[in-house]
Amino acid sequence: MSLSYYWSKEFIGNRPFLWLLLICNVLGTIYGYIWYGHQISDTVTRGQYWQVIFVPDSPTASLFFSIAILLLLYPPRTALGAMVQQWIEALAVVTSVKYGIWAVAIIFAGQAQGDVLVWQDWMLVVSHTAMAVEALLFVRLFHYRWTALAGAIAWTFLNDTVDYSFGVFPWLPGQLYDDLSAVELFTYLLTLFSGLAAWLSRKYALPKSSM
């Protein structure tokens, strides 16, 4: 059996593997929300309740991906359900690619300016890299169209805007706060890149008529 089999549609689409991936992503999502606990609490303490949904970026991306996997295991049987599935899948791909790359880039940018990496940082590098990779791999099994993708990109831009307009962006290594404008620009550009990656990977995963 060739190594290519392990990232083929046949392998990643089989139910035992989907269940394993779902369990891993659910556990990662729970851990991610715990990780953001102090920042969520701080946002609530300041009375900015409506901003709470925009605080935990990576675990929300993982949540979207978990729901997308669950919908592959149990496909919706109504038109409304199929439409919701498309939106969840598009959000899963755009946000997982975006925040997967973002977290890794920020960790190493902090290190480049003197931050000392600990084992949690390396764990985050591995887990966030996996987020981006798995999202692009699963595009072949997803069903989203350009309308859902446009909505996912718009939502991610809204998240960026709230993050940097109201200061609820993920806490950064201390060395990067004097480069906040550059981090903000990188974040917006990464949303564009992630949307483009989601579109191109979907475009070449299916015949043009499917888009």
Side-chain angles (χ1 to χ4, degrees):
M1 185 180 298
S2 67
L3 288 176
S4 61
Y5 170 74
Y6 293 101
W7 56 81
S8 66
K9 290 177 65 175
E10 291 74 21
F11 179 77
I12 67 173
N14 74 74
R15 292 184 71 84
F17 184 76
L18 288 176
W19 274 110
L20 176 62
L21 199 64
L22 176 61
I23 292 169
C24 291
N25 276 273
V26 167
L27 292 175
T29 299
I30 294 170
Y31 179 81
Y33 281 115
I34 293 172
W35 179 276
Y36 273 90
H38 291 300
Q39 190 171 357
I40 293 172
S41 177
D42 181 65
T43 304
V44 171
T45 299
R46 289 186 284 108
Q48 307 297 338
Y49 303 107
W50 68 272
Q51 296 173 10
V52 170
I53 192 174
F54 298 102
V55 172
D57 294 334
S58 293
T60 300
S62 180
L63 177 63
F64 287 140
F65 191 81
S66 297
I67 298 173
I69 296 300
L70 187 63
L71 292 174
L72 288 178
L73 287 163
Y74 299 99
R77 299 184 178 182
T78 66
L80 177 60
M83 182 174 67
V84 170
Q85 181 180 24
Q86 286 192 40
W87 284 83
I88 292 294
E89 289 173 347
L91 284 165
V93 175
V94 173
T95 59
S96 293
V97 172
K98 189 259 184 72
Y99 295 117
I101 296 173
W102 187 92
V104 174
I106 292 299
I107 287 171
F108 286 124
Q111 182 193 37
Q113 295 197 29
D115 189 29
V116 177
L117 303 190
V118 295
W119 71 267
Q120 291 98 330
D121 295 309
W122 293 108
M123 178 270 293
L124 291 172
V125 166
V126 172
S127 61
H128 283 77
T129 300
M131 280 178 59
V133 170
E134 69 180 3
L136 292 176
L137 279 177
F138 271 80
V139 164
R140 292 171 291 170
L141 303 181
F142 287 163
H143 310 84
Y144 63 83
R145 296 176 183 271
W146 71 267
T147 47
L149 180 57
I153 295 170
W155 167 262
T156 310
F157 273 129
L158 174 62
N159 197 352
D160 296 342
T161 302
V162 173
D163 276 359
Y164 293 94
S165 296
F166 298 94
V168 293
F169 51 85
W171 288 341
L172 304 170
Q175 293 83 352
L176 295 184
Y177 278 93
D178 59 350
D179 298 313
L180 189 57
S181 295
V183 172
E184 180 179 358
L185 176 61
F186 171 69
T187 301
Y188 276 102
L189 291 176
L190 194 52
T191 295
L192 280 175
F193 171 82
S194 301
L196 180 61
W199 176 69
L200 288 174
S201 57
R202 181 67 179 146
K203 178 181 175 66
Y204 291 106
L206 290 176
K208 294 181 179 179
S209 59
S210 299
M211 288 294 286

